[in-house]
DNA sequence: CCTATCTTGGACTAGTCGTTCCAAGATAGG
DNA sequence: CCTATCTTGGAACGACTAGTCCAAGATAGG
């Protein structure tokens, strides 16, 4: 058997995700990737292909490692409205403070960036949206079972609303929006979705 | 008096706005600007300065010529909820069909693009957000005077919500989101804000 | 140990980036 | 018409871009 890779493609891809996530894919050059990963250009191109494929791979990785676990936890959370409120509180907190403060979301950022028309990228954006919205729908259905929801509320449309709201939090937080401002905007939506007769215990 | 400009800086800047708006500022080179405007590099740099200043000028121009008139009309509209619903219907329509379909919003796109940390750019983003939210607040206050609003609704927080929603529509539409999907998401929020006892006449 | 086969470092290419510069051209007051 | 002053076209700049290529190095089956 011939030579084998002298590095772990998995950890390299994680480093690339961080690079593209923080600084934007457009403004990150292959030279930056080489410096950050410690790989040579040869290994990089042999393993991932060109920059476009590397970007698509980073998007897929972000969706699976960053987004998916959170979406799955939300979808499995049976608490109803408190689960949704908790999701947004954690989201705002992660976007405004800590290690990834002001980085936004790699997938959200991809909506405005170049390469959004590439089939591979479009597929990830669509998959991300489906996963986010269906997690929201599941959480809303749990809320409905608890009687938390206003009567006549359209679950499908409301799930879309909450997904849109998450994108907006990701976007605005990247440009320095204050956490309190974002949380107030989220709270107003959740209040509008909540059954007025059983509001108290869900705050 | 010496020589005067052989072109109109105003129409040139409008052409630059279109370029940055459609294709993104990061991926649009000075060569593209030269080609689109017909100007020479000399005239461009003498009139607007470097690419960064040109981008900032384009952002300001977009805010004043594209956003501001719509925001002002919304703020002055006394109809209440129908005014807000109309704003979003026109927004979704403009983002998904017609001349600027799938272009998104230049200011919204700027949130994810490079140069968002430049003071001049940040100032435009902040001004845009203030203008959008205060127009939403004015429209909500009109809605309150008409008795359209749910009792206990926080006008300031709800204005922030509607602003966030507009950003999300701009962002998602750029990546091909369907108009019906976006409208449903908007409708769910407006329904949540509306007084249930006087819902019928506002649809 | 040998060798076929893959990986690696890094030089290299062709093109593009934003920016500068200057001679030639245009303008309008005197 | 003359000339001071600005504008304009376009050549040129160094730095950077994504991507290619090959000799040297590493690996593990035979």
């Amino acid at each position: 058997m011939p030579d084998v890779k002298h590095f772990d493609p998995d950890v390299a891809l994680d480093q690339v995700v961080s690079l593209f996530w923080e600084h934007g894919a457009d403004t990150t050059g292959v030279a930056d990737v080489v410096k950050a990963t410690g790989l040579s250009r040869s290994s990089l191109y042999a393993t991932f292909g060109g920059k476009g494929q590397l970007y698509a791979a980073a998007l897929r990785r972000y969706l699976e490692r960053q987004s998916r676990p959170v979406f799955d936890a939300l979808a499995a959370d049976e608490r109803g409205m408190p689960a949704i409120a908790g999701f947004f509180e954690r989201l705002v907190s992660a976007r405004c403070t800590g290690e990834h403060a002001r980085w936004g979301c790699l997938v959200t950022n991809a909506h405005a960036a170049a390469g959004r028309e590439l089939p591979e990228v479009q597929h990830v954006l669509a998959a991300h949206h489906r996963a986010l919205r269906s997690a929201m729908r599941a959480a809303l259905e749990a809320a409905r079972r608890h009687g938390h929801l206003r009567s006549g509320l359209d679950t499908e449309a409301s799930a879309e609303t909450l997904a849109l709201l998450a994108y907006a939090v990701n976007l605005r937080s990247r440009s320095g929006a204050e956490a309190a401002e974002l949380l107030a905007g989220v709270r107003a939506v959740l209040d509008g979705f909540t059954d007025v007769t059983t509001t108290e215990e869900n705050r």
Side-chain angles (χ1 to χ4, degrees), chain A residues 7 126 177 186 191 195:
Chain A
F7 66 98
V186 169
D191 285 352
D195 183 358

Side-chain angles (χ1 to χ4, degrees), chain A residues 70-88 131-149 153 155 158-159 162 190 193:
Chain A
V70 180
F71 296 172
D72 287 349
L74 175 62
D77 197 319
E78 293 286 339
R79 291 176 298 153
M81 288 309 280
I84 298 175
F87 167 88
F88 278 104
L132 172 56
R133 189 176 47 190
S134 96
M136 288 295 182
R137 192 194 315 115
L140 283 168
E141 279 160 5
R144 164 138 293 153
R145 289 193 292 275
H146 283 83
H148 291 167
L149 294 188
L153 186 128
T155 312
S158 303
L162 296 178
L190 301 191
F193 286 177

Side-chain angles (χ1 to χ4, degrees), chain A residues 49-77:
Chain A
K51 192 191 175 183
Q53 288 172 258
L54 181 60
Y55 177 52
L59 274 177
R60 279 191 297 268
R61 170 60 68 90
Y62 181 94
L63 173 57
E64 295 308 322
R65 293 270 232 265
Q66 301 287 334
S67 308
R68 191 84 69 186
V70 180
F71 296 172
D72 287 349
L74 175 62
D77 197 319

Side-chain angles (χ1 to χ4, degrees), chain A residues 10-21:
Chain A
D10 260 24
V11 323
L13 188 52
D14 283 335
Q15 293 170 313
V16 174
V17 166
S18 286
L19 257 188
F20 285 166
W21 187 5

